[in-house]
Amino acid sequence: MTDLIALMADLEEYLGDPWDAGALMPYPRILAADEDQRYPHEFVDVLASWGLYDWIVPAANGGKAVNVEDGFNLYRLVGRRDPTSATAMVLTSLSYMPVWIAGSPEQRQHFADAIRGGRKLAWGLSERRHGSDVLANETTARRTDGGWLLNGEKWTIGNATVACTVMVHARTSDKGGPGGYSIFAVEKDCVPPGQLAHLPDEPLHGLRGLDMSGVRLTDCFVPDSALVGRAGQGLEIALKSSQLARIAIASIAMACVDTALRSTLDFAGRRVIFGGTVAEVPYSRRQLAESFAELLIADALTTGAVRSLQLAPAQASVWSSVVKYFVPTLLEETLARLTTVLGARYYLRAHPRHGIFQKVLRDFAISNFADGNTVVNLKNIALQLDGLLASAVGQDPGEVARARAAVADLFDPARPMPPYEPAAQQLFSRAGDDSVLALRSAVGELRRAAETAGGRDAAWLAGCADTAGQLADEVHRLADEHAKLFADQGRAAGQSAELYDLAKQYSAVSAAAACVHLHLHGRDSLTPALRSPAVLLLCLERLLRRFHPTRRVTGPDDIDTVAGVLAEAHREGWLFSFRPYRVGW
Ligand SMILES: Cc1cc2nc3c(=O)[nH]c(=O)nc-3n(C[C@H](O)[C@H](O)[C@H](O)COP(=O)(O)OP(=O)(O)OC[C@H]3O[C@@H](n4cnc5c(N)ncnc54)[C@H](O)[C@@H]3O)c2cc1C
C-alpha cells in the first residue's frame, strides 16, 4: 500500500512554495499563463518529470496506479495551484481508461508507454449537435480493407490539438443504439495526410490555457488494431470510463475551493475593519467555518466513492453520480459564500494575493458539466431510486450487517483494497448503496459513543446522533414521495422534475452517511483535530439545512471550535481535508 501521506508531501515539496516566483509551480506564473491563454506545457512537464503520470498508468504496464485514491489526492495538490494543468492531465488519464477497461494487452502497454513518455491523449465523445445525447452522435466508422474509415466531427474536446491520440467514439451500426457504437484510438502520426483536421481553439471562460478544440475526420483510415474492445462495446466502455472521471473531477472542484478558502482566510485574518479582523466578526467566522465544513463533506463523500471503485465496483454507478451531482453543486454554494467574505477583492484579476481567487472561481465550473453534466447524473440516480430507497427503508438485518462491514472497509483509509479493476464496474447498481443502507445503524453507534464520552464530546456526539437520525428519517419521506409520484403520474414520473428533485435529496443523505461513516471508521487515519465531533456536527448541520433551511444545531461555541480547527489547519499547513496532507500554503 502506498504511503500516501509521504507521497503527497513529496510532490508538494517538489513543487515548492506557491507564492515563490522562483518555485516550479507558483501562482504568479500560473496566473500569467492564464492571462495569456497559454497551454500549461511548462507545468505539465514539471509534473510529468516528478512522475505524476505514473499514478494513472497500471502497475502491470510500468506505472504505479493500484489505488485510485493515490491519483485522486495527488490531483488535489495540482488543482489547488492550477486547475488548468490538473484538467489537462486528467484528460489524458480519462482517455487511457478505454484501453485499461477493454484494450488488448498490446494497446494497454503501447499507450502506457506513450503517456509515461509525455504524450497526451484526448477523449473524443462529444459532438456539436448532440452533447449529452451520446446515442444520437453521428460520427461513423465503416469497415474497409484492413481497418475502418471514420467520418464526422468531435467538438469540444480538451487536448484535441496537443494530443497524439484521440479516443474517438463512432457509430459502427447504422441503427445506432446502445450496441451501435465503438471506440477507436486514432493516432494522429499514423493518419494519412488530409484525413484529420484540427478545429479552432475555443476561448474559454475558465481554464483559459486549456486546448479546447476538436477534430474533423474525413474518410480517416485507422487499422483494425485501433479498435478498443469489441465493435459495439463503445457505450459500455465510455460509461465505465466516465464512472472514474465523474469522481476524479471532484478532486479539481475540491482543490479550487481549498485555494479559495485559503485565500479568503488570509484576507479575513489580516483585514481590520470596524476595529477588528474580518475573521473575528461572528457572522464571517461562521461563514468560514461552514465553508470548511462543506469542503470536508466533499472530502468524506469522495473518500468512500474513490474506495468504492475497488471495494464495491458493483455500486460504482450510484457513487459516481452522487459525487458528480453533489460535490460541484454543494461547493458552488461554498464559493459563492466565500466571495461575500472576501468582498470586492475577489473581482480583481491582478491582485498580488487574491488574484488566484477569481481564477479558481472560473475554473471550478468545469466540474459541473464535464463528463456528464449535473442533470445527466441526477437522472442516473433517479432511475435507480426505487431499489435504493426500498433497501434503505427495509433495513433487512442480513443486508444491514453486510453493509456495515462494507462501510468499515470503505471509510477506513488504513484498510488495504484489491487493485483497481475498472472492467468490474457495473453500469447499474443492482447491489444497492451500502453507505445509505448502513446509516441507520451508524446513528445507533453515534448514540452509544455519546453515552460513553465525557465533557463536550458527549453533547456533540448526542447532537450528531440526533442530526444524523433526522437525515436518516428523510429516507422514509423520500420513499413515500417516490411511491406517491409513481402512483400519481405512472410512467411519466420517470422523466418528471419531481423525481430529479428526490435524487438531489437522496444525494444529500448519502453525503451525511459518508460523514458519519468516516468519523466512525476512519478516525485513526484522520488529523487529530478533525476527529472532534464538533466538526462532524457542523457537517451534518450543513446537510440538514438542505432539507430544513431554518433548523440550527450548532451555536457560537461550536463554531468557535471548528473555526479554531480551520485556523490551525491553515497556520500549520494542512490541506483542507480530514487526512493529514501537508501543503506549503
Ligand atoms: C471546457 C470543456 C471541456 C470539455 N471536454 C470534453 C472532452 O474532453 N471530451 C468530450 O467528449 N467532451 C468534452 N466537453 C463537452 C462536455 O462534456 C459537454 O458537457 C457535453 O457535450 C454535454 O453538453 P452540455 O453539458 O452543454 O449539455 P447538452 O447535452 O447540450 O444539454 C443541454 C442542457 O440540457 C439539459 N439536459 C441534458 N441532458 C439531460 C437529461 N438527461 N435530462 C434532463 N435534462 C438534460 C441540461 O440542462 C443541459 O445543460 C467539454 C466541454 C467543455 C466546455
Side-chain angles (χ1 to χ4, degrees):
M1 205 166 146
T2 315
D3 181 349
L4 183 54
I5 308 284
L7 183 69
M8 297 274 282
D10 188 68
L11 176 58
E12 182 68 8
E13 196 180 329
Y14 168 78
L15 296 175
D17 178 352
W19 293 108
D20 173 3
L24 288 179
M25 206 171 164
Y27 287 131
R29 292 221 310 275
I30 289 165
L31 283 165
D34 191 61
E35 286 292 320
D36 296 348
Q37 305 193 48
R38 249 188 291 126
Y39 189 86
H41 286 292
E42 55 175 318
F43 305 126
V44 170
D45 289 349
V46 155
L47 291 160
S49 298
W50 179 81
L52 186 62
Y53 278 133
D54 285 351
W55 297 92
I56 59 168
V57 170
N61 298 105
K64 294 177 179 161
V66 175
N67 292 331
V68 182
E69 65 191 8
D70 298 340
F72 180 88
N73 284 297
L74 290 170
Y75 275 108
R76 286 171 76 175
L77 291 185
V78 178
R80 73 182 205 96
R81 289 172 188 252
D82 184 20
T84 314
S85 301
T87 305
M89 296 182 84
V90 164
L91 283 166
T92 289
S93 107
L94 166 62
S95 310
Y96 183 75
M97 290 312 295
V99 291
W100 192 347
I101 291 167
S104 63
E106 293 74 25
Q107 285 173 326
R108 280 195 196 187
Q109 193 59 53
H110 175 71
F111 289 109
D113 292 344
I115 292 173
R116 296 186 69 229
R119 310 199 78 187
K120 299 172 181 68
L121 271 53
W123 170 252
L125 173 65
S126 298
E127 295 184 9
R128 201 180 295 262
R129 277 160 43 97
H130 304 299
S132 312
D133 189 4
V134 292
L135 290 182
N137 277 350
E138 294 171 71
T139 297
T140 56
R142 296 191 197 287
R143 283 199 183 279
T144 186
D145 281 350
W148 301 76
L149 286 180
L150 274 55
N151 279 284
E153 196 180 273
K154 291 290 172 182
W155 174 94
T156 40
I157 308 300
N159 276 356
T161 301
V162 297
C164 67
T165 300
V166 184
M167 296 292 169
V168 171
H169 299 240
R171 189 183 278 234
T172 39
S173 146
D174 286 342
K175 63 180 188 313
Y181 289 83
S182 308
I183 297 180
F184 297 88
V186 178
E187 294 191 74
K188 293 180 189 171
D189 289 354
C190 307
V191 170
Q195 297 180 4
L196 183 151
H198 294 121
L199 302 179
D201 191 41
E202 296 284 348
L204 298 175
H205 168 67
L207 304 174
R208 287 183 179 166
L210 196 66
D211 160 21
M212 186 48 54
S213 48
V215 287
R216 184 176 303 117
L217 307 161
T218 311
D219 285 335
C220 175
F221 175 80
V222 294
D224 282 326
S225 59
L227 177 66
V228 180
R230 284 176 284 104
Q233 206 187 349
L235 183 69
E236 177 201 330
I237 299 171
L239 290 175
K240 286 186 176 175
S241 302
S242 284
Q243 289 178 343
L244 175 80
R246 287 170 182 182
I247 296 174
I249 200 106
S251 70
I252 297 175
M254 290 156 67
C256 288
V257 178
D258 187 289
T259 296
L261 177 54
R262 219 167 276 279
S263 178
T264 309
L265 281 173
D266 279 355
F267 170 78
R270 288 177 198 150
R271 171 75 168 159
V272 174
I273 191 161
F274 302 122
T277 65
V278 170
E280 287 164 353
V281 177
Y283 181 70
S284 305
R285 190 162 59 247
R286 181 174 264 279
Q287 287 190 306
L288 290 167
E290 289 180 347
S291 300
F292 181 43
E294 287 173 353
L295 198 41
L296 292 174
I297 292 168
D299 190 67
L301 184 61
T302 53
T303 297
V306 167
R307 293 175 62 83
S308 81
L309 292 171
Q310 286 162 254
L311 290 165
Q315 301 183 8
S317 161
V318 174
W319 275 109
S320 59
S321 282
V322 166
V323 165
K324 185 63 173 60
Y325 159 69
F326 194 72
V327 171
T329 304
L330 175 76
L331 295 184
E332 198 164 44
E333 296 168 16
T334 314
L335 280 177
R337 185 183 312 107
L338 289 172
T339 62
T340 67
V341 181
L342 182 54
R345 282 167 184 73
Y346 101 80
Y347 218 60
L348 306 182
R349 273 164 51 201
H351 192 287
R353 201 67 196 183
H354 304 298
I356 192 64
F357 191 107
Q358 54 80 33
K359 171 165 160 53
V360 296
L361 188 64
R362 285 183 284 107
D363 293 351
F364 172 90
I366 181 87
S367 64
N368 267 317
F369 52 79
D371 292 310
N373 64 32
T374 302
V375 194
V376 169
N377 285 284
L378 274 182
K379 182 176 182 179
N380 189 37
I381 303 163
L383 293 177
Q384 306 187 51
L385 265 186
D386 194 15
L388 297 174
L389 291 171
S391 79
V393 168
Q395 293 286 297
D396 174 80
E399 281 299 292
V400 171
R402 191 195 49 72
R404 286 181 60 179
V407 296
D409 282 339
L410 280 169
F411 288 94
D412 180 354
R415 294 202 188 186
M417 296 181 284
Y420 181 43
E421 291 289 348
Q425 291 162 206
Q426 300 291 309
L427 300 184
F428 196 86
S429 182
R430 284 180 196 83
D433 175 355
D434 290 333
S435 184
V436 171
L437 177 56
L439 174 59
R440 176 64 65 193
S441 96
V443 171
E445 284 184 62
L446 285 175
R447 211 168 289 292
R448 286 191 290 282
E451 284 160 12
T452 54
R456 296 174 79 191
D457 278 6
W460 280 325
L461 282 165
C464 289
D466 286 346
T467 312
Q470 291 174 54
L471 285 156
D473 289 345
E474 296 293 338
V475 172
H476 293 262
R477 182 187 54 76
L478 290 177
D480 290 346
E481 288 191 20
H482 186 271
K484 184 169 181 325
L485 187 63
F486 278 83
D488 290 349
Q489 297 192 15
R491 284 169 61 93
Q495 297 296 330
S496 67
E498 292 78 9
L499 186 64
Y500 283 56
D501 203 39
L502 296 182
K504 288 182 186 175
Q505 296 174 48
Y506 182 86
S507 303
V509 175
S510 174
C515 295
V516 173
H517 297 319
L518 184 64
H519 181 86
L520 292 172
H521 302 291
R523 281 185 70 76
D524 293 346
S525 298
L526 308 187
T527 307
L530 283 145
R531 296 174 196 165
S532 166
V535 172
L536 175 62
L537 187 62
L538 185 57
C539 291
L540 293 173
E541 181 187 76
R542 294 310 302 148
L543 293 164
L544 184 71
R545 284 171 70 104
R546 301 185 85 78
F547 296 92
H548 306 284
T550 57
R551 259 186 227 173
R552 195 176 284 300
V553 290
T554 62
D557 288 351
D558 310 318
I559 293 299
D560 281 351
T561 300
V562 179
V565 174
L566 170 62
E568 183 187 322
H570 186 37
R571 194 175 54 245
E572 301 295 322
W574 300 110
L575 188 72
F576 295 142
S577 161
F578 277 105
R579 299 206 64 201
Y581 300 127
R582 276 267 169 229
V583 290
W585 171 80

